[in-house]
Amino acid sequence: METVIAMNVVSKVFKGKKAVDNISFKIYKGSITAILGPNGAGKTTAILMMLGLLEPTEGSVTIFGQHPKDKSVREKTGSMLQEVSVMDRLKVKEIISLISSYYQYPMDQKLLVEATGLDPADLNRYAEKLSGGQKRSLGFALALAGDPELLFFDEPTVGLDITARRRFWEKVRGLAEQGKTILFTTHYLPEAEDIADRILLFNRGSLAADGSPDEIKARIVKRSLSFLQPADGLDLQQKLLTLPSIDGCYYKDGRIFVTTEDTDEALRDIFTAGLPVKDVRIDQGRLDEAFEQLTMNQEGAV
Amino acid sequence: MRSLTMQCKAEMLRIVRNPYYVFWSLLMPIMFYFIFTRVVNTGDSDPTWAAHYLMSMAAFSVMGSAIMTLGIRLVQERTQGWTTFIRITPLPGYVYFLGKMFGQTMMHLFSIICIFAAGYLINGVSLSTAQWLLCGLWLLVGSLPFLAMGTLVGSMKRVDTASGVSNAVYMALAITGGMWMPLEILPRLMQKIGVWLPSYNYGNGAWQIVQGSHPEWSNILILLGYLAVFMILSVYIRKQQEAV
């Protein structure tokens, strides 16, 4: 697999506060990766370092094997950042051809115009007169101006309605099918889960987890087992708690629940111990709950 | 090369489409010119004064757009994230800068032509072709220190600060440099300070030309000095800001 981005033990300190703390990962060609984390987790700082807009305090970042500021990197990269407005007093069409002229091998202008999804009438309007969502669509098209191999989207769907959101992700999937490498940040979990084939979970500046959505799920989601409450329920609960694979045990709605990291091992232990369990059910925790919990833990810790 | 021509074209379009430019850089100096040469009786309604004040107003206009339009625009582009966006494209920084300077110069040229034409139409100011051309050229080239000052204003954090500060500096320079009224009628202390200011030396070059003379060496040297100081400061501040 071809490495596109390499973050090598990267830290970034702002006024004594570590915004990004010892992060290492590699991003491979053709992947869609989500950087997921609550606000202030260091997602944008990481992206800005990958774009060469911030220099890491420690460690190194390379894109296509080069420094992010290298011109060859700029030619192959497109980005949609937060808080970027559009140049005023220029019409949409003019901005598109202006930005295209910056690149050696620009994308066909017709395709770019299509990518904006704007009506022909809007193309002749001043860009600053467009609505917020339309500006975002223009920003998306501008990210594609250089027909990039690598795309960065920093919180791309904030402020978009559901339809616009869906349309945006459809386009991103289309780009990924063309073999483009995509990296986006989000604090909106279902987005990361649905779109990305890999999630980098950021938490207080460090990389809390790294893997496919399923792997992440398995890591952070607690699963639980439940059984019918027998006559001597308390005795059973005490016996369950002695098993090493079981973290906790509680009673709810006529059933006994146990929480565990690994349901398979817990079941094995329960059967080996010969405990009298009946009507076994495995409950899958929800990723968004686990994520919320993680976020709350963080807030609690601050 | 293509990116440079496109950048220049875009900058020009943006300036021409800006209504504030038309008001501040064209209408206001021309109105002043009309008032101070036709309405207010200044006592000496001789053609020398008409030509002298025409140069004052042309210099006033160009100085204003160099400091204010450029400065405020730079701050706007940065606060709106546009500068950041440009930095992550392959466009070299110098092309962006040259585009800006080209747009400004075209705008200055247009202002000069309009104001000169107004002088001719309002007061029938008559100068030799060489004098018109030399004055125009002096005003264009002499605007460099003010453009450098504009980039200094452009390093400010907020648009409000930039517009307030640049407005105050602009007006102060115009008055103390003898652009609104001749330096000779100002108090002595102000005259003494005035001759060291970039605005006076800028205006004086053109005032000398309309009197059939040429800009003094001191004018050129002082303007070059200011250019160097403002450029060094501007580059230094930029470096500081980028070292994050």
Side-chain angles (χ1 to χ4, degrees):
Chain A
M1 276 192 288
E2 197 182 316
T3 304
V4 176
I5 302 173
M7 292 279 269
N8 199 359
V9 224
V10 173
S11 295
K12 179 71 191 174
V13 180
F14 290 116
K15 291 174 188 157
K17 193 176 170 288
K18 272 201 171 172
V20 164
D21 191 1
N22 268 313
I23 282 183
S24 297
F25 58 80
K26 281 183 176 167
I27 305 281
Y28 302 102
K29 190 174 157 57
S31 60
I32 307 185
T33 309
I35 294 187
L36 175 68
N39 289 333
K43 304 185 298 281
T44 298
T45 309
I47 287 254
L48 293 178
M49 285 193 284
M50 289 182 240
L51 287 169
L53 291 171
L54 288 177
E55 280 295 324
T57 315
E58 278 166 52
S60 69
V61 184
T62 56
I63 315 281
F64 298 111
Q66 307 280 332
H67 190 275
K69 279 186 181 167
D70 196 274
K71 192 162 185 283
S72 67
V73 175
R74 300 265 187 248
E75 287 280 356
K76 291 190 278 191
T77 312
S79 326
M80 215 174 128
L81 299 178
Q82 292 183 68
E83 290 161 21
V84 169
S85 184
V86 287
M87 211 180 232
D88 60 337
R89 299 284 143 191
L90 283 181
K91 292 174 185 166
V92 174
K93 274 199 309 202
E94 291 165 347
I95 292 197
I96 292 178
S97 53
L98 175 68
I99 304 300
S100 294
S101 78
Y102 295 172
Y103 294 89
Q104 213 171 352
Y105 306 106
M107 192 182 264
D108 185 62
Q109 297 224 4
K110 263 191 205 148
L111 290 176
L112 286 180
V113 166
E114 262 177 51
T116 61
L118 294 176
D119 293 335
D122 286 327
L123 296 174
N124 276 318
R125 287 172 70 196
Y126 284 137
E128 80 256 29
K129 300 259 163 75
L130 296 176
S131 74
Q134 287 174 319
K135 278 183 192 166
R136 207 65 84 76
S137 303
L138 175 59
F140 176 70
L142 294 181
L144 299 179
D147 195 8
E149 289 174 33
L150 168 64
L151 281 152
F152 291 98
F153 299 115
D154 194 9
E155 308 266 0
T157 55
V158 170
L160 290 187
D161 62 30
I162 296 175
T163 325
R165 212 171 263 237
R166 193 177 36 103
R167 225 180 290 141
F168 174 80
W169 289 121
E170 268 168 23
K171 285 180 192 160
V172 170
R173 281 214 183 90
L175 292 168
E177 276 161 22
Q178 294 169 31
K180 298 188 189 303
T181 310
I182 290 156
L183 185 75
F184 68 95
T185 65
T186 181
H187 55 244
Y188 192 52
L189 179 92
E191 238 168 33
E193 209 183 344
D194 291 349
I195 312 296
D197 44 42
R198 180 178 170 198
I199 295 177
L200 299 170
L201 186 65
F202 273 47
N203 192 16
R204 310 180 70 194
S206 10
L207 195 53
D210 173 1
S212 71
D214 285 340
E215 284 165 357
I216 296 275
K217 225 173 182 164
R219 283 235 354 229
I220 67 171
V221 169
K222 291 261 185 195
R223 295 177 192 212
S224 61
L225 295 169
S226 68
F227 333 100
L228 272 179
Q229 165 93 326
D232 51 347
L234 276 175
D235 181 48
L236 176 61
Q237 284 198 27
Q238 274 165 8
K239 282 181 181 160
L240 283 166
L241 279 171
T242 57
L243 300 177
S245 56
I246 287 173
D247 298 336
C249 192
Y250 58 94
Y251 171 83
K252 195 179 159 193
D253 302 334
R255 298 180 70 84
I256 293 177
F257 286 80
V258 298
T259 51
T260 171
E261 300 270 333
D262 187 342
T263 45
D264 296 342
E265 207 185 315
L267 277 176
R268 207 175 298 127
D269 287 354
I270 290 168
F271 289 126
T272 316
L275 296 177
V277 294
K278 272 186 188 165
D279 187 25
V280 179
R281 282 188 209 160
I282 301 176
D283 301 297
Q284 170 80 62
R286 285 186 29 217
L287 186 50
D288 51 351
E289 278 169 6
F291 178 66
E292 217 167 90
Q293 215 164 25
L294 185 86
T295 318
M296 273 178 355
N297 284 349
Q298 177 194 336
E299 278 162 5
V302 168
Chain B
M1 199 52 218
R2 199 175 103 76
S3 59
L4 181 60
T5 42
M6 287 293 290
Q7 193 67 21
C8 290
K9 197 180 125 196
E11 288 294 343
M12 250 184 77
L13 279 175
R14 293 177 66 202
I15 285 171
V16 173
R17 288 173 182 167
N18 185 350
Y20 295 102
Y21 158 68
V22 177
F23 180 79
W24 288 103
S25 299
L26 294 179
L27 287 182
M28 214 172 79
I30 291 172
M31 254 167 51
F32 271 14
Y33 183 65
F34 183 74
I35 292 168
F36 285 101
T37 56
R38 296 302 292 268
V39 180
V40 181
N41 192 354
T42 45
D44 52 339
S45 54
D46 62 318
T48 328
W49 168 243
H52 176 98
Y53 203 62
L54 185 65
M55 291 309 137
S56 306
M57 283 303 108
F60 176 61
S61 159
V62 172
M63 186 171 85
S65 61
I67 302 175
M68 294 189 57
T69 312
L70 178 65
I72 296 172
R73 194 152 270 252
L74 286 172
V75 180
Q76 264 171 356
E77 284 180 15
R78 202 179 51 249
T79 51
Q80 292 176 356
W82 190 254
T83 316
T84 311
F85 181 78
I86 299 282
R87 274 171 66 198
I88 56 176
T89 69
L91 186 79
Y94 73 87
V95 172
Y96 176 73
F97 182 76
L98 283 180
K100 279 254 161 305
M101 290 302 142
F102 176 82
Q104 282 289 333
T105 305
M106 285 298 114
M107 169 176 167
H108 295 167
L109 184 64
F110 186 69
S111 306
I112 291 169
I113 291 171
C114 286
I115 293 170
F116 281 7
Y120 180 76
L121 294 174
I122 295 172
N123 283 323
V125 172
S126 95
L127 297 173
S128 72
T129 317
Q131 277 175 318
W132 284 122
L133 288 177
L134 270 176
C135 283
L137 194 66
W138 171 262
L139 291 173
L140 265 190
V141 178
S143 67
L144 281 175
F146 303 105
L147 285 170
M149 199 188 269
T151 62
L152 263 182
V153 172
S155 62
M156 289 177 188
K157 287 221 165 57
R158 294 176 52 229
V159 172
D160 296 345
T161 330
S163 105
V165 170
S166 61
N167 216 323
V169 170
Y170 171 40
M171 292 302 161
L173 277 178
I175 295 170
T176 51
M179 284 179 178
W180 283 11
M181 56 207 100
L183 202 61
E184 292 80 42
I185 66 171
L186 294 178
R188 271 196 118 187
L189 178 69
M190 274 175 79
Q191 289 187 33
K192 277 196 174 157
I193 301 171
V195 293
W196 288 98
L197 293 176
S199 47
Y200 168 78
N201 288 283
Y202 183 45
N204 193 46
W207 296 327
Q208 294 297 329
I209 296 170
V210 294
Q211 280 169 20
S213 175
H214 51 78
E216 290 160 20
W217 276 110
S218 62
N219 299 149
I220 297 172
L221 289 176
I222 289 173
L223 285 177
L224 280 176
Y226 276 108
L227 174 64
V229 170
F230 292 146
M231 271 174 67
I232 291 166
L233 269 176
S234 184
V235 169
Y236 175 76
I237 292 174
R238 201 130 303 210
K239 284 257 143 65
Q240 292 287 96
Q241 285 176 341
E242 273 174 24
V244 189

